[in-house]
Amino acid sequence: MSEFDAIIDYVEQSCKTRGKKLTPKRKLVLQTLLHANKALSAYELLDYCQTHFKQPMQVMTIYRTLDFLEQELFVHKLTVSNQYVACSHILCEDEHGTPQFLICAKCNKINEQIIDPQMMIGLKSNAQQEGFTVVNSQIEINGICDQCVE
């Protein structure tokens, strides 16, 4: 079984365990993000589904599907670019923690890491001291990957 198949199988079982269903459209959107191996906007997902899988979808269906997949922690929304990426820790059964995304400005490669929980406690504490309540602690850092530097 390939890693791709293992992820889809895991997500199907995970949904079933949670009393949810991985519908064909949800599965298609997740497969598309996995297949693309990069962040895509809803409209880019629409085009990708049509081009690579010959599956037409409505953009509202894609948004609803992305909302579901994001709530279930199978995908992440990159706030700055309004794009979505498959979680690189889908197969991890532990608490995922707060994601940090390293995004290459040249090739758009995305590396997802988990931020040390102690660091997040400090960041949230600093925000509170300044009179802010953190509502989304996800961190997105733009830079240039080593391959693009060379």
Side-chain angles (χ1 to χ4, degrees):
M1 178 182 284
S2 72
E3 183 179 7
F4 182 84
D5 293 332
I7 289 171
I8 296 300
D9 186 53
Y10 175 81
V11 169
E12 285 178 329
Q13 293 304 316
S14 181
C15 284
K16 199 177 289 185
T17 300
R18 299 174 192 176
K20 311 277 173 115
K21 188 172 182 184
L22 187 66
T23 64
K25 291 188 189 284
R26 291 172 177 171
K27 185 176 181 177
L28 176 62
V29 169
L30 181 59
Q31 286 174 321
T32 300
L33 285 171
L34 291 167
H35 187 264
N37 199 29
K38 65 179 183 177
L40 298 172
S41 70
Y43 285 95
E44 289 169 331
L45 270 162
L46 186 73
D47 291 341
Y48 203 97
C49 286
Q50 178 63 42
T51 303
H52 295 277
F53 297 113
K54 306 296 184 230
Q55 295 286 325
M57 290 183 73
Q58 300 295 318
V59 74
M60 288 310 298
T61 301
I62 288 180
Y63 277 117
R64 282 192 302 273
T65 300
L66 288 167
D67 285 344
F68 170 83
L69 293 171
E70 187 179 11
Q71 285 177 341
E72 298 300 314
L73 304 176
F74 300 130
V75 304
H76 299 289
K77 180 179 182 179
L78 301 176
T79 308
V80 173
S81 63
N82 199 29
Q83 293 180 315
Y84 296 82
V85 63
C87 177
S88 63
H89 303 102
I90 287 179
L91 296 175
C92 176
E93 294 192 21
D94 297 332
E95 174 64 35
H96 289 211
T98 303
Q100 169 182 296
F101 297 98
L102 304 174
I103 305 166
C104 180
K106 287 193 175 187
C107 70
N108 295 319
K109 174 183 167 184
I110 297 173
N111 186 330
E112 178 184 349
Q113 299 177 336
I114 300 301
I115 298 172
D116 179 355
Q118 293 297 30
M119 181 183 287
M120 285 311 305
I121 290 169
L123 290 172
K124 288 179 181 179
S125 175
N126 289 343
Q128 279 184 325
Q129 289 174 10
E130 294 298 321
F132 287 90
T133 300
V134 176
V135 293
N136 180 1
S137 56
Q138 173 177 300
I139 297 175
E140 299 173 29
I141 300 174
N142 292 302
I144 299 176
C145 71
D146 288 344
Q147 292 161 339
C148 289
V149 167
E150 295 173 1

